[in-house]
């Protein structure tokens, strides 16, 4: 017999874990709808050409492909392997040449026409284009569904996980960014995660910095290195920039960014001075000024908004504001949310000039943080409130009628299915942490009463159906 197991990077969830995850998702969904977002769902798998080429070379490698039905290696009408690929398979090579990689991609395309979705954003873009005549723009949508990535599993990173996304397409208004900051604040406040930091930056600011230091052609290398400041420090960032061919003179000009402190207003004014000669950079500064000043005017509940000029996520994707959310201080965890503005989300499917902005909540990481801080309400994992002891079919029927009444009153109740020994039934209630038991034998049935026992204190009383209902509420 095969030993039971699950694929690497996936998880089983116990009833308690599912209850806690559903609690987080319900808080997120409730606030999505409070802010006017509408739910949609897309298939778990898409056509391969919908996904491939949309996430860069690294992303493409992490997409799970679905093999077409049929035997391609032994069918006479099967596909002949290219010589380069035959050589690779025969030698079991650990490295793949460019020629072999091209052959492998061509071969994979022939035997796999579908793939599991890598994220919710590209399927959303496909959805908008496909249903554009049915959608009222601006369109505010949210999705809470699983995605799959052939990634290297580690703490807080899995191969199958849920994404919780909210996006607005069809509007360039910066009020959308202001609302998304408020949405983050509202959700994390409701979860009890006080003190999260919502980091904000702007792609135009990063482009402007690269321009004024004379490294415009090295934008990606420059920003990727700058993004590592909190991990490898100033010396490490400078070394990486030098290794990427950024000149010492350019690195000297960027020196102010390594000690970029002060309030948001002070940081924005410093950027305005630094980027005064860059038209694109100043556009980014003005966008930041609008978002941050209006958030400040409206106020936040428990979150902190901070300008982080080293934030450079999704550079090939975002065109304006960039967001990333850090857990409260003292919690060792990567980002628990992120997003930004993209000016041509649907252009990859032929619908031009459809600007959008969106954010995502990292459900699995949020779960770990809430668990670590002990913030789950006790009521989240409450299961059955009362177990009716089974004395036989006659008594069971009496119990089931009562259980139906209790359920209509919103009380979680159930009958032990078998007329087993009383001790075994009480042990079952104890193992499941059910706080009450009801005994209804011949005497109770005749008197139309119930014996209610508090399994925590041992106290028990004879009660009517009205008293039973009131006691269990």
């Amino acid at each position: 017999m095969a030993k039971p197991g699950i694929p690497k990077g996936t998880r089983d969830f116990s009833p308690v874990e599912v209850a806690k995850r559903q609690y987080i998702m319900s808080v997120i969904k409730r606030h999505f709808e409070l802010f006017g977002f509408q739910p949609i769902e897309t298939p778990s798998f898409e056509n391969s050409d919908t996904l491939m080429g949309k996430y860069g070379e690294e992303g493409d490698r992490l997409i799970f492909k679905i093999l077409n039905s049929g035997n391609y290696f032994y069918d006479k009408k099967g596909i002949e392997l290219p010589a380069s690929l035959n050589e690779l398979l025969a030698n079991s090579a650990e490295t793949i040449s460019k020629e072999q990689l091209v052959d492998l991609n061509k071969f994979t395309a022939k035997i796999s026409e579908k793939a599991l979705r890598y994220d919710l954003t590209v399927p959303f873009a496909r959805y908008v284009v496909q249903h554009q005549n049915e959608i009222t723009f601006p369109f505010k949508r949210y999705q809470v569904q699983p995605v799959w990535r052939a990634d290297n599993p580690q703490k807080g990173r899995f191969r199958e996980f849920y994404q919780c996304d909210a996006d607005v397409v069809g509007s360039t208004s910066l009020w959308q960014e202001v609302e998304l900051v408020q949405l983050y604040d509202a959700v994390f406040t409701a979860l009890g995660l006080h003190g999260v930091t919502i980091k904000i930056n702007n792609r135009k600011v990063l482009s402007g910095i690269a321009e004024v230091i004379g490294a415009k052609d090295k934008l990606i290398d420059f920003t990727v290195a700058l993004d590592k400041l909190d991990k490898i420090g100033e010396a490490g960032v400078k070394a990486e920039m030098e290794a990427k061919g950024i000149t010492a003179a350019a690195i000297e000009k960027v020196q102010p960014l390594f000690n970029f402190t002060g309030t948001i207003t002070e940081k924005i004014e410093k950027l305005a001075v630094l980027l005064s000669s860059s038209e694109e950079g100043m556009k980014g500064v003005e966008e930041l000024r609008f978002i941050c000043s209006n958030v400040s005017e409206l106020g936040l509940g428990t979150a902190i908004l901070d300008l982080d000029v080293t934030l450079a996520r999704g550079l090939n994707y975002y065109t304006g504001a960039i967001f990333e959310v850090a857990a409260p201080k003292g919690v060792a965890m990567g980002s628990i949310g992120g997003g930004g503005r993209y000016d041509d989300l649907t252009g990859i499917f032929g619908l031009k000039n459809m600007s959008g902005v969106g954010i995502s909540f990292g459900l699995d990481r949020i779960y770990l943080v809430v668990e670590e801080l002990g913030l789950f309400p006790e009521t989240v994992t409450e299961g059955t409130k009362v177990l009716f002891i089974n004395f036989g079919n006659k008594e069971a029927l009496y119990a089931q009628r009562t259980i139906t009444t209790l359920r209509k009153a919103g009380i979680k109740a159930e009958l032990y299915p078998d007329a087993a020994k009383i001790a075994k039934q009480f042990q079952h209630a104890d193992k499941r942490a059910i706080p009450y038991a009801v005994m209804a034998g011949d005497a109770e049935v005749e008197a139309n009463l119930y014996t209610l026992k508090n399994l925590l204190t041992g106290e028990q009383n004879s009660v009517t159906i009205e008293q039973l209902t009131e006691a269990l509420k």
Side-chain angles (χ1 to χ4, degrees):
M1 294 179 63
K3 184 179 180 181
I6 58 176
K8 186 178 180 181
T10 63
R11 296 156 292 165
D12 288 324
F13 296 107
S14 69
V16 169
E17 290 170 325
V18 170
K20 290 178 176 179
R21 287 167 61 84
Q22 288 179 342
Y23 162 71
I24 295 173
M25 285 191 278
S26 69
V27 170
I28 293 173
K29 287 179 180 179
R30 184 172 75 250
H31 283 86
F32 281 165
E33 293 180 4
L34 280 173
F35 278 70
F37 293 88
Q38 302 175 77
I40 68 165
E41 291 187 356
T42 58
S44 58
F45 56 91
E46 298 270 352
N47 293 325
S48 292
D49 56 8
T50 296
L51 303 179
M52 298 299 291
K54 310 303 190 300
Y55 308 101
E57 187 176 319
E58 178 64 24
D60 281 355
R61 285 200 293 267
L62 299 181
I63 293 175
F64 276 108
K65 283 85 174 177
I66 300 174
L67 186 67
N68 295 342
S69 58
N71 194 328
Y72 294 93
F73 293 100
Y74 298 103
D75 190 334
K76 291 181 181 179
K77 296 180 181 180
I79 300 170
E80 182 179 348
L81 291 174
S84 166
L85 190 53
N86 264 322
E87 179 187 344
L88 171 66
L89 296 173
N91 296 332
S92 298
E94 294 183 2
T95 58
I96 302 177
S97 68
K98 288 185 178 180
E99 181 185 18
Q100 289 169 330
L101 182 60
V102 169
D103 284 341
L104 181 60
N105 287 337
K106 288 181 179 178
F107 178 67
T108 301
K110 291 180 179 179
I111 66 172
S112 174
E113 298 169 347
K114 295 174 285 294
L116 293 176
R117 60 172 172 243
Y118 175 89
D119 71 355
L120 299 179
T121 306
V122 170
F124 173 51
R126 189 266 309 152
Y127 176 94
V128 170
V129 175
Q130 191 171 341
H131 299 275
Q132 58 185 287
N133 295 326
E134 308 157 26
I135 293 172
T136 300
F137 295 101
F139 180 45
K140 301 175 74 171
R141 89 79 168 88
Y142 79 81
Q143 263 179 283
V144 179
Q145 288 187 279
V147 299
W148 294 266
R149 295 182 187 179
D151 210 342
N152 182 33
Q154 52 186 283
K155 183 181 179 182
R157 179 177 292 176
F158 308 98
R159 288 179 172 175
E160 179 186 59
F161 57 97
Y162 270 76
Q163 285 191 337
C164 310
D165 288 10
D167 291 80
V168 188
V169 292
S171 171
T172 59
S173 171
L174 293 175
W175 283 110
Q176 306 292 356
E177 279 86 339
V178 172
E179 277 215 327
L180 291 175
V181 172
Q182 291 180 307
L183 176 56
Y184 266 142
D185 175 55
V187 168
F188 289 120
T189 298
L191 289 171
L193 278 178
H194 298 175
V196 303
T197 300
I198 304 169
K199 301 177 183 179
I200 187 173
N201 198 12
N202 194 292
R203 166 63 189 266
K204 298 181 181 72
V205 165
L206 292 167
S207 297
I209 293 171
E211 180 184 344
V212 299
I213 68 171
K216 193 173 182 177
D217 60 332
K218 297 282 187 178
L219 172 63
I220 301 298
D221 292 332
F222 162 74
T223 49
V224 166
L226 189 62
D227 194 37
K228 298 177 182 178
L229 181 60
D230 60 339
K231 299 180 182 70
I232 62 177
E234 180 179 336
V237 170
K238 289 180 176 179
E240 183 167 327
M241 287 182 177
E242 288 179 4
K244 294 294 185 179
I246 297 173
T247 66
I251 295 173
E252 181 63 29
K253 289 180 182 178
V254 84
Q255 182 65 40
L257 298 183
F258 293 121
N259 298 290
F260 210 71
T261 58
T263 65
I264 285 186
T265 302
E266 290 169 345
K267 289 179 180 179
I268 289 175
E269 295 314 313
K270 288 180 182 179
L271 277 180
V273 173
L274 179 65
L275 300 176
S276 58
S277 62
S278 169
E279 182 179 351
E280 183 175 17
M282 287 306 296
K283 286 181 181 178
V285 169
E286 288 308 313
E287 289 181 8
L288 285 173
R289 183 176 281 129
F290 180 91
I291 297 166
C292 295
S293 64
N294 280 293
V295 168
S296 176
E297 184 70 24
L298 293 166
L300 294 176
T302 63
I304 301 163
L305 181 64
D306 188 34
L307 172 57
D308 183 352
V309 292
T310 70
L311 181 60
R313 59 183 292 143
L315 273 186
N316 292 323
Y317 187 71
Y318 295 123
T319 55
I322 306 169
F323 298 107
E324 188 169 278
V325 183
K329 291 181 180 179
V331 180
M333 182 60 66
S335 64
I336 57 175
R341 166 73 65 173
Y342 37 81
D343 279 339
D344 195 19
L345 171 71
T346 57
I348 53 178
F349 297 113
L351 182 60
K352 300 294 184 182
N353 302 317
M354 185 64 71
S355 184
V357 60
I359 58 174
S360 182
F361 290 82
L363 172 65
D364 294 291
R365 289 185 175 182
I366 292 171
Y367 179 104
L368 293 173
V369 174
V370 174
E371 181 84 341
E372 181 177 334
L373 296 176
L375 297 174
F376 282 111
E378 291 183 8
T379 54
V380 167
T381 55
E382 281 185 351
T384 297
K385 189 76 172 283
V386 59
L387 178 72
F388 279 70
I389 303 301
N390 192 329
F391 289 96
N393 287 336
K394 176 185 173 183
E395 295 83 355
L397 178 60
Y398 178 77
Q400 284 287 26
R401 289 196 181 104
T402 307
I403 289 170
T404 300
T405 300
L406 293 176
R407 287 172 178 166
K408 287 179 179 178
I411 298 167
K412 299 175 183 177
E414 62 179 279
L415 170 73
Y416 192 84
D418 304 303
K421 291 181 179 180
I422 304 301
K424 181 178 180 180
Q425 297 188 50
F426 277 116
Q427 286 173 1
H428 179 79
D430 183 57
K431 288 179 180 178
R432 290 183 52 198
I434 298 174
Y436 292 95
V438 167
M439 293 168 284
D442 283 336
E444 284 87 359
V445 173
E446 287 296 325
N448 201 26
L449 294 172
Y450 309 87
T451 297
L452 175 64
K453 183 171 184 176
N454 185 320
L455 298 179
L456 299 177
T457 65
E459 179 185 357
Q460 65 181 50
N461 296 289
S462 180
V463 296
T464 64
I465 180 63
E466 293 80 14
Q467 291 170 326
L468 177 63
T469 304
E470 188 63 31
L472 294 173
K473 280 186 177 177

